[in-house]
Amino acid sequence: MRKKKFLFVYIAVIFSLILIVATIFVFFQPMKIIGNSMYPTYKENDIVFVNTAETNFSTNDVIVFYYGHAKVVKRVCATSGDFVEVRDDGVYINGRIIAVNNESYEIMQRTLESREYFVLGDNYAYSTDSRYFGVITSEQCIGRIVCSINFNH
């Protein structure tokens, strides 16, 4: 009888672990950071986990989205209803400067519509972001980064 009980508990634990791991990989997609546009928050080769079930983002969320065929990591700096201005001297959200430009970008002034996002890399000087490719939409988004693993730091 004891062997049967032990076997049942053993199978239940194994099944639970498989279920937990499967759930993690369905809703939390691992991804390796490439490049330094999000430095110092994320460094090259950091592993991040992306919550793919989340589709509505807030200011300061770090998200992963498709730009062409590439997966890109950036910080949400403006959401629907925010007024975004890209000028020669910097990026302004609702009249407040949030980033200084180190080069000239196309001038942009617009209020973001529903499910549109203006994103920037934390390392402004080395980031290709919404200053370059414009706003992104929720259809491009994969999810929000929820945690990271730093192997080399």
Side-chain angles (χ1 to χ4, degrees), residues 9 31 66 90 95 132:
V9 170
M31 182 179 148
Y66 286 107
Y132 175 75

Side-chain angles (χ1 to χ4, degrees), residues 96-107:
R96 195 184 92 219
I97 191 164
I98 64 161
V100 176
N101 288 335
N102 60 334
E103 59 184 83
S104 184
Y105 294 94
E106 186 175 326
I107 303 298

Side-chain angles (χ1 to χ4, degrees), residues 31-135:
M31 182 179 148
K32 184 177 182 180
I33 297 291
I34 299 170
N36 290 309
S37 71
M38 286 303 293
Y39 180 85
T41 307
Y42 301 111
K43 298 164 191 73
E44 180 126 31
N45 297 320
D46 284 355
I47 303 296
V48 295
F49 290 89
V50 182
N51 179 350
T52 57
E54 194 167 338
T55 59
N56 193 20
F57 308 107
S58 302
T59 301
N60 287 322
D61 284 348
V62 179
I63 64 170
V64 179
F65 60 93
Y66 286 107
Y67 176 64
H69 295 292
K71 291 180 182 178
V72 181
V73 176
K74 302 292 177 203
R75 184 174 304 280
V76 175
C77 293
T79 61
S80 63
D82 287 334
F83 183 69
V84 177
E85 294 177 89
V86 177
R87 304 181 197 164
D88 284 337
D89 64 332
V91 177
Y92 295 77
I93 307 296
N94 299 321
R96 195 184 92 219
I97 191 164
I98 64 161
V100 176
N101 288 335
N102 60 334
E103 59 184 83
S104 184
Y105 294 94
E106 186 175 326
I107 303 298
M108 177 175 74
Q109 294 182 334
R110 66 176 287 190
T111 300
L112 297 184
E113 296 178 14
S114 178
R115 301 180 66 77
E116 285 186 328
Y117 305 99
F118 187 88
V119 296
L120 293 173
D122 288 354
N123 192 1
Y124 302 132
Y126 300 99
S127 178
T128 301
D129 45 41
S130 284
R131 296 174 294 179
Y132 175 75
F133 52 70
V135 301

